[in-house]
Amino acid sequence: MKKLTGFAAAFIAAVSAAVSAVPAVTIADNPIVQTSYTSDPAPLVHDGVFYMYTGHDADGAKDYVMPDWKCFSSTDMQNWTDHGTILSESTFKWAGENSAWAAQCIERNGKFYMYVTVVPANGGGRAIGVAVADSPTGPFKDAIGKPLCGPDWAFIDPTVFIDDDGQAYLYFGNPNPYYVKLNEDMISYSGSITKVDMTAEGFGTKADGGRMYVEGPWFYKRGDMYYLLYAANGIPENIAYSTAPSPTGPWTYRGVIMPSEGRSFTNHCGIVDYEGHSYFAYHSGALPGGSGFQRSVCIEEFSYNADGTIPTIKMSSSGPKQLHSLDPFVRNEAECFCWEEGIETEKCSEGGLDIANIEKGDYVKIKGVDFAEGAESFTASIASAENGGSIELHIDSPDGDIIGVCEVPSTGGWQEWQEVTCPVEISGEHDLYMKFTGGSGFLFNVDWWKFGGSGETADDGSLYHSTFERSADGWSGRAGAEISVTDEVSFSGEKSAKVTDRTSSWQGIVKKLGNAFASGNSYSFSARAMCPDEDTVFHLTFQYTEGEEVKYTKIDTVDAEKGKWVQLCGNDFGIPEEASDMYVYVETNSGIADFYVDEMTAAGEGTDLSSPDFMKVIRGDVDNNGSVTLFDLVHARRGLTEGFTDAYSEKAADIDRSGSVQVNDLVLLQKYLLGAVNGFTAE
Ligand code: FUB
């Protein structure tokens, strides 16, 4: 959409009388995308990431001018990473122009299937096409080279769902819903396309006596109930829904979820659960310049009623609450933000996207950045074919306090990348605004950024050291498991990561290894794990791709008693020469019980991660069971006289942190156990 300055002008004109009283558009966090107009949202949760697939409404169009589909992702529900155009109508050689209407993507057996609406160039109506990819962000290719369903003018807006018995269903249609049973290959179907009988009981009654259903179905199951949500009631559309005890009915009309509002005469929804929260995605014309043909995807959090019905949901400009704060001490992609004004995104020569077409006064907002104990430096990868400019780092508002300014030189090209660094001073959690200044014209592009300083987690020489005190630190649920940062238990500090919603033992918690890990080299890996409900065998596993094949190697395997923390540790683990696309994860040998992990660490070759230097030890917990009891005193006495059996016990028994265990440590421990002191004072 480029240049919110243009739309800001329109917006200001529209509300000129009250402009000073109107909250600045810049503080809104809904719609989730501002760099282009997006429509027809289709959410997908995969491997701990919330993906949002959208249509794309062309700027200034007076009709549906929709050339392609885009994808955005988030792990905190406020900052969204732009993955760009992931599928275009031109991929379907049989499709006409500007016909890329609503779509939905689903994963099956490691492949991603995107069902789309397009108009075949040869006429005959609209049609449902299907594209396939190996990753959620593509590249997608036409799976069958022809329409899957259609052509037929009624065949628009596919929604797809795989039932518990493995049967996949595709619903679609305007002004009537249709369904068809997909085969397991997801690119063909069995039986005929069935037109749903729209009874008044199933689909409600409008004021004019017709049925409520119009288009844009979203089909899914929750518990034993099947849900069909849809755009309803004619123009302007609202979102209503029906439920059924089986995937094909009989349907019962349940009422309106989202009344019509928001400057778009259509609406289109998607619903999904993520990290224990329920989210409702829709579109409106809320972005300045917005209309029925310049729509924008928004999202709201909601809770189901106890009987499974869906409450009325109102459009908001704030969107859902942020799930985790953002860690500024790791590389953050510039195309991940909560809000922007004036910038665009484009393909980056280094992979992914960069932010571009930046002019003086433009900015990006990154929400909920946790600088913890403090950041001291800021580094960004920038490129400029012109004179560069500077990045002003403001906190809490675009004109808030400046915590640092980074000068950006010319680098000789818009894709000639160079790192710039400047000092900053900031601690605690803030919204970060990167405001760009300089001369006239385009200033520079930004690929990524990160802060350095005492708040960094990896200040011990490790390649990562995830304590979960501030964020999930790039860990996510593996293969459908969910993870959350929790203060229910911890190995050290206040928090750990909890792994839930497992239906298989290999579902656990996973982290993708970045550029710091090279194939052919050796690294040390460690993780702490605990299952509160049953004895468990934990694996710390390394996953990589060699050629076309995905391979798995156990770094370490440890038996854990119910409720006891164990360490999984593999020092100097060799990464195979040809390995790419590498991950580490914690899984269990069997069972699907929830478990917790903490203190996930990786370091270079020669690092002993079982050494006390890499341990967050609970002082006094000499038997390493997570609590301090009389047994610890017994263990400490025995250690002092006979020698300690392991490094953890010795460090835990060194109560005064003098570097060695002596009699006064036992005295301090005894005093604590007798209640004479409330805790251990710092050394
Ligand atoms: O985006 C084009 C059409 O508008 C969709 O296919 C409908 O659901 C409506 O949102």
Side-chain angles (χ1 to χ4, degrees), residues 39-40 64 66 101-102 156-157 215-216 266-268 283 295:
S39 50
D40 302 328
Y64 294 123
M66 303 178 68
W101 284 17
I156 68 167
D157 297 353
E215 58 182 359
T266 64
N267 202 346
H268 190 113
H283 69 215
R295 299 162 293 180

Side-chain angles (χ1 to χ4, degrees), residues 154-171:
F155 288 6
I156 68 167
D157 297 353
T159 176
V160 60
F161 169 72
I162 305 171
D163 207 349
D164 301 336
D165 62 2
Q167 177 62 59
Y169 295 85
L170 194 69
Y171 269 86

